[in-house]
Amino acid sequence: MSVRATARITAALDGRGVTSLPVLAGDGPLALRRTRTTGSGARVTVVGAMSAPLGGDRLTIVTRVGEGARLTVDSAAATVALPGEGREPATYDTELSVGERAELRWLPEQLVSAHGSVLHMTTRVRLAPTARLVLREEQILGRHAETTGTLVSRLTVHRAGRPLIDQQLAYGPGAPGGWDGAAVLGGHRAVGQLLFVEPTFDEKCPEARLLGDTAVLTPLAGPAVLVTALAADARRLRGVLDEALNELLDAPAG
């Protein structure tokens, strides 16, 4: 039988100016744990309580970061999309909202699209004008020595009620032709992106540039940049994205 589960996280400042977690509610395969961090922010780790998503599963994570709060969300291990008994695709929806002067770092481990699986992922983000966001997505197309499943991933971000980015990527059987050709993946099986939203970029934003042979930093029409990268494997992909993130954090105004 398919699983339907919704996990919820709410972060808010307490009376001491420290981020608290008034709502931390896991569900089904989405177990949530408050983990150690430094400073006044909070950190939550998503722990897989069972194999998911399988075909037909409907998983959702809803996260709200209140005014002035600081939250990091990561995961304990990669998420592996697996085929189910039925023909229905699995869905994995992420809904994020970040309030004024708040910060969210959304840093899950990789999503692995196993052979025979079908997964539709959506990430919807709403940001206040002074909110900060670091969002990382990494997809590994197939486990070792196997071909990929079908993966459709859409990212939509609104800032101050206006669109900042809306893009959809599709890989595997049933995806538009050419997804695995030289103009798209070029034989790579690890693909990722890093979205960095920083209000000070309104004054000075980093310029577009290449980051090695298979990665690029692109400024968006707003105080944000998008790093897109390809790599032969998950380790190399993480290295490229981590290097880009560290550079942006060290010099957020470009």
Side-chain angles (χ1 to χ4, degrees), residues 131-149:
R132 291 177 172 84
L133 174 71
V134 177
L135 184 148
R136 182 182 69 208
E137 292 186 334
E138 298 169 307
Q139 288 110 23
I140 311 303
L141 304 180
R143 294 172 293 189
H144 179 68
E146 74 173 8
T147 57
T148 184

Side-chain angles (χ1 to χ4, degrees), residues 116-177:
S117 67
V118 181
L119 176 64
H120 294 176
M121 296 183 65
T122 60
T123 301
R124 303 181 184 90
V125 186
R126 296 193 176 276
L127 303 173
T130 55
R132 291 177 172 84
L133 174 71
V134 177
L135 184 148
R136 182 182 69 208
E137 292 186 334
E138 298 169 307
Q139 288 110 23
I140 311 303
L141 304 180
R143 294 172 293 189
H144 179 68
E146 74 173 8
T147 57
T148 184
T150 297
L151 175 62
V152 180
S153 176
R154 184 171 181 178
L155 171 64
T156 304
V157 181
H158 284 77
R159 176 181 177 268
R162 301 181 62 181
L164 180 65
I165 184 172
D166 188 349
Q167 70 172 22
Q168 179 168 296
L169 306 173
Y171 309 104

